[in-house]
Amino acid sequence: MTGNRWGRIQYLGEKLLILIVSLLILSAAVFYISRLAPGDPLVSYYGDRVEKMSLTEREWAEDRLGLNEPLAVQYACWLENALRGDFGISYKYKLPVVTVIRERIGNTLLLGGIGFVLIFVLALLLGIACACHEGRLLDSVICGIGTVSSCIPEFWVSLLLVLVFSVNLKWLPGSGAHTAGQTGDLGDRVRHLILPLTAVVLGHLWYYAYMVRNRILEEVGADYVLLAKAKGLTRGRVLFRHCLQNVLPSYLSIMAISAPHILGGTYIIEMVFSYPGLGTLTYESARYHDYNLLMILCMLTGIIVMLCDLAVQMVCKRGTEKGAWP
Amino acid sequence: MAVRMENGFKIVGIRTLPREEQVRPRGRWDKGSGRVFTGAVLVLTTIILGCFLCELFVARDPGYLDLRNYCVLPGREFLFGTDTMGRDIFAMIWYGGRISLTIGIAATMLSTILGVVFGALSGCAPAWADALMMRLVEILLSIPSLMAVILIQAILGEANVFSISFVLGITGWMSIAKVVRSEVRQIRECEYVIASRCMGGGFFHILWKHLTPNFVSSIMFMVVMNIRSAIVAESTLSFMGIGLPVEVITWGSMLSLSEDAMLANAWWIILFPGAFLVVALLCFTGLGNHLRRNFNRGQSNL
């Protein structure tokens, strides 16, 4: 038992090490790319204040950021500041980057998180429904709609949703996270979430549903299903107790791999709905050449994706170790 | 039930069962695959020919701002209506498709070359270098490609057709590299590769003559899908106003007027370019799926 635990700790340590190294490489890559940006890096760090700085102040600032040093040393300096939580200021908002992001990240995680869970559950249900009716009308209709909808770019779906439900029917609000002045109203918040959430789910649902369908169809051909049926188990019991247990781990890992896609899709949808999250922030920072903010956003997104990946790897590992799932 | 053989023996006791069809009954969806493919190729050819030969049948200048006729409903004079700047949408769709498709194809060519070279290098490299290179690919894959595209495009400055193809190309090669690498690792110890190396064949010679023919079928699907995602990415960027400016007509930049269109409730400005985009993407998907089914059986599509 202790050996097992020791092995698990070792495994965890290994994963963490890989994560840290990946983060270092990611930050280095993004840092170097953003240093290629036109313009004075001092400006991207301190904003307009640079113009009012005296020469000594400027020198002090350059010295502090190590701008006179080679790039590698600069990166080390930047990393040191970053570890202390100092990421510089956003050029557009004249605020520390961390503050700007902290205000927005909750909204994105809410939209992305609920969207992810909804996609996960609905795709599973749809996939099962298709697999049960394989080759019949329901299956082909769902697969047909799925193929078409998987080809529709997210932003166009969002546009159509706004056009229909917000502009013409006037049922739901088409932009923002809440009506101005009604920050605390939960119902208002939910009403603002419906359309973006629909767009997030519609854009990704079918692909995963189709995948679940195919995996289940592979699974029901196996011998153990025949055995379970011979034992007298009902169809539903075989499907949910036996087949699903085998499908779930691979489904989970596919969902983890697709975290960047879903997150990227969420960003686009946020921009269309001008929903105050990281996506809108990305768009604004690209628009106003706020490289410092953009760089941090890129890294943050990468970190979120890596963490999702790690979490799912751990869960899957646990599942296989126990021999049973879940 | 007895079968008389030529040598006089009889075989007895055979139960002849009706031969069971081993293939699982396929859904209507799979059966229609051939027809879907033909349809996709036909429509795609029409769109591509239409876009590149549009001078022949589109009389209007797509860039002409007809200020008296802005936001005109689709009708006899303006087949698909006009946009908020008074441009004819029918003409714009055909001229715009030209740039959209060009960007898609150019970006995919770049990403395919990068992916194949990187993947082959990684596949031929010693184990530690291979692990390092694949780790790098995984790290790059963890950034949503849209973020990377926005970051690099913001740094390159004002977008044009070349810069956007370039950016889309250098952000889209990772998945191809992964597939190429795993294929190359399988075949790099083959006798003909070793023989070629012994005879002094260079890396690119071996890559082109011996490795490429082996993995070309497994990356075809991804190449077609890359065209698709490059077109989507370009239109998304142009739509948001980070990509090509409104004067450069593409399917995406046509949609960037959608905010004005919403205010005027002009559905045709949003519907028609988007519908063309979706049809083109559907065709690419149909093409890709057909390629995968027929050349890439049993392979993972990840």
Side-chain angles (χ1 to χ4, degrees):
Chain A
M1 204 57 213
T2 42
N4 194 5
R5 183 170 301 161
W6 177 240
R8 196 172 294 164
I9 291 172
Q10 212 171 14
Y11 176 75
L12 194 69
E14 203 175 284
K15 285 286 163 202
L16 274 179
L17 193 71
I18 291 177
L19 182 74
I20 291 169
V21 172
S22 308
L23 285 181
L24 277 179
I25 297 177
L26 177 69
S27 63
V30 176
F31 181 83
Y32 281 106
I33 293 176
S34 74
R35 275 294 176 269
L36 298 174
D40 190 352
L42 259 192
V43 177
S44 78
Y45 204 84
Y46 288 107
D48 281 341
R49 265 194 295 160
V50 172
E51 282 155 30
K52 297 180 201 120
M53 278 180 177
S54 67
L55 211 61
T56 40
E57 264 183 321
R58 229 189 127 85
E59 261 171 26
W60 172 82
E62 279 184 357
D63 204 40
R64 180 166 169 273
L65 296 180
L67 290 181
N68 306 319
E69 311 275 353
L71 261 177
V73 181
Q74 279 187 38
Y75 170 67
C77 262
W78 177 85
L79 198 65
E80 204 186 319
N81 283 336
L83 284 179
R84 268 191 250 117
D86 176 11
F87 291 96
I89 72 155
S90 152
Y91 180 59
K92 183 178 172 246
Y93 290 90
K94 320 279 181 232
L95 283 171
V97 169
V98 183
T99 321
V100 178
I101 291 179
R102 197 184 293 147
E103 281 169 18
R104 308 286 196 101
I105 193 167
N107 285 332
T108 294
L109 288 185
L110 190 70
L111 181 63
I114 298 181
F116 197 84
V117 173
L118 271 182
I119 293 171
F120 185 84
V121 175
L122 289 178
L124 205 56
L125 292 179
L126 265 181
I128 292 171
C130 278
C132 288
H133 297 86
E134 192 206 354
R136 274 184 268 166
L137 188 66
L138 180 74
D139 182 34
S140 36
V141 166
I142 291 184
C143 286
I145 297 176
T147 316
V148 174
S149 75
S150 69
C151 286
I152 303 178
E154 283 114 345
F155 72 94
W156 200 57
V157 172
S158 320
L159 279 179
L160 288 186
L161 284 176
V162 173
L163 192 67
V164 173
F165 292 102
S166 185
V167 176
N168 281 317
L169 295 175
K170 298 198 171 52
W171 285 353
L172 293 162
S175 71
H178 38 69
T179 319
Q182 291 185 322
T183 325
D185 190 352
L186 194 68
D188 185 54
R189 188 88 176 76
V190 171
R191 269 159 47 78
H192 276 87
L193 260 181
I194 294 177
L195 282 188
L197 209 53
T198 315
V200 170
V201 173
L202 276 185
H204 295 281
L205 181 60
W206 308 102
Y207 179 67
Y208 302 110
Y210 193 59
M211 200 157 294
V212 172
R213 168 190 180 270
N214 288 348
R215 286 283 297 125
I216 289 184
L217 285 183
E218 274 169 33
E219 208 60 47
V220 291
D223 289 340
Y224 73 86
V225 175
L226 201 62
L227 174 70
K229 205 166 140 193
K231 267 195 331 188
L233 296 187
T234 57
R235 227 180 129 178
R237 209 176 152 73
V238 178
L239 193 63
F240 284 97
R241 291 284 306 161
H242 295 266
C243 294
L244 221 52
Q245 278 193 7
N246 290 327
V247 171
L248 266 179
S250 64
Y251 179 47
L252 260 182
S253 57
I254 287 170
M255 286 298 284
I257 294 166
S258 59
H261 293 281
I262 294 180
L263 204 60
T266 313
Y267 280 14
I268 298 171
I269 288 159
E270 277 178 12
M271 293 174 209
V272 181
F273 288 98
S274 41
Y275 178 88
L278 294 186
T280 326
L281 205 58
T282 309
Y283 164 68
E284 282 172 357
S285 57
R287 210 63 208 276
Y288 297 102
H289 305 289
D290 195 344
Y291 300 116
N292 208 22
L293 184 57
L294 191 53
M295 176 172 109
I296 309 292
L297 282 171
C298 260
M299 276 175 47
L300 194 64
T301 314
I303 292 171
I304 294 176
V305 170
M306 283 181 188
L307 287 180
C308 282
D309 195 36
L310 186 70
V312 171
Q313 273 181 15
M314 303 306 291
V315 172
C316 284
K317 169 100 173 150
R318 244 186 109 93
T320 46
E321 255 177 18
K322 273 185 170 175
W325 181 270
Chain B
M1 267 300 170
V3 182
R4 186 181 286 275
M5 308 278 283
E6 292 99 46
N7 51 12
F9 286 105
K10 278 187 202 165
I11 299 176
V12 284
I14 288 185
R15 264 196 316 147
T16 47
L17 291 172
R19 177 174 297 199
E20 256 182 270
E21 199 60 53
Q22 283 298 313
V23 187
R24 291 182 58 78
R26 294 163 124 205
R28 220 168 284 177
W29 187 242
D30 292 335
K31 263 187 261 165
S33 150
R35 261 178 298 152
V36 169
F37 173 68
T38 327
V41 169
L42 276 179
V43 177
L44 200 61
T45 320
T46 318
I47 290 180
I48 291 176
L49 281 180
C51 286
F52 285 92
L53 302 173
C54 51
E55 276 95 349
L56 299 179
F57 63 96
V58 179
R60 287 172 200 281
D61 176 12
Y64 177 62
L65 307 176
D66 190 351
L67 292 176
R68 283 165 307 154
N69 295 313
Y70 70 92
C71 280
V72 177
L73 264 165
R76 181 166 292 186
E77 196 187 349
F78 301 102
L79 217 51
F80 288 169
T82 58
D83 69 359
T84 51
M85 289 155 76
R87 296 180 293 184
D88 179 39
I89 290 184
F90 183 73
M92 285 169 80
I93 281 179
W94 294 109
Y95 279 92
R98 196 183 278 193
I99 298 181
S100 287
L101 291 171
T102 311
I103 289 178
I105 291 168
T108 306
M109 270 160 69
L110 180 59
S111 63
T112 308
I113 293 172
L114 277 177
V116 165
V117 170
F118 191 92
L121 272 177
S122 176
C124 293
W128 62 271
D130 176 49
L132 212 63
M133 287 168 95
M134 279 301 114
R135 180 59 40 191
L136 182 71
V137 166
E138 271 162 35
I139 291 170
L140 290 178
L141 270 177
S142 77
I143 311 179
S145 61
L146 186 80
M147 288 293 272
V149 169
I150 291 178
L151 180 72
I152 300 174
Q153 187 62 59
I155 282 161
L156 285 181
E158 194 60 43
N160 55 43
V161 176
F162 292 108
S163 78
I164 229 167
S165 316
F166 173 74
V167 173
L168 291 176
I170 60 170
T171 50
W173 54 269
M174 282 83 83
S175 45
I176 292 184
K178 269 183 128 171
V179 174
V180 169
R181 175 245 168 205
S182 61
E183 296 275 329
V184 168
R185 275 209 100 68
Q186 278 174 21
I187 47 181
R188 68 169 189 169
E189 297 303 335
C190 284
E191 280 80 2
Y192 56 87
V193 176
I194 299 174
S196 177
R197 200 178 290 159
C198 289
M199 283 182 261
F203 171 72
F204 283 100
H205 171 80
I206 294 176
L207 175 62
W208 183 244
K209 281 278 176 208
H210 301 295
L211 301 181
T212 309
N214 282 299
F215 59 67
V216 75
S217 61
S218 44
I219 64 169
M220 266 328 276
F221 166 71
M222 308 183 86
V223 170
V224 173
M225 284 313 184
N226 261 12
I227 299 183
R228 190 189 111 163
S229 47
I231 293 177
V232 172
E234 180 274 319
S235 63
T236 310
L237 282 182
S238 303
F239 160 74
M240 295 186 308
I242 306 176
L244 297 167
V246 185
E247 306 88 66
V248 182
I249 300 165
T250 68
W251 289 332
S253 71
M254 289 172 75
L255 288 166
S256 67
L257 292 170
S258 60
E259 217 152 280
D260 304 337
M262 293 277 185
L263 290 176
N265 199 1
W267 50 268
W268 57 92
I269 300 178
I270 297 174
L271 195 68
F272 288 122
F276 256 74
L277 180 63
V278 171
V279 169
L281 297 180
L282 258 178
C283 293
F284 278 116
T285 313
L287 198 64
N289 280 336
H290 181 82
L291 287 175
R292 182 181 53 181
R293 279 214 190 90
N294 289 290
F295 295 117
N296 197 13
R297 279 166 205 268
Q299 285 278 341
S300 153
N301 58 346
L302 281 173

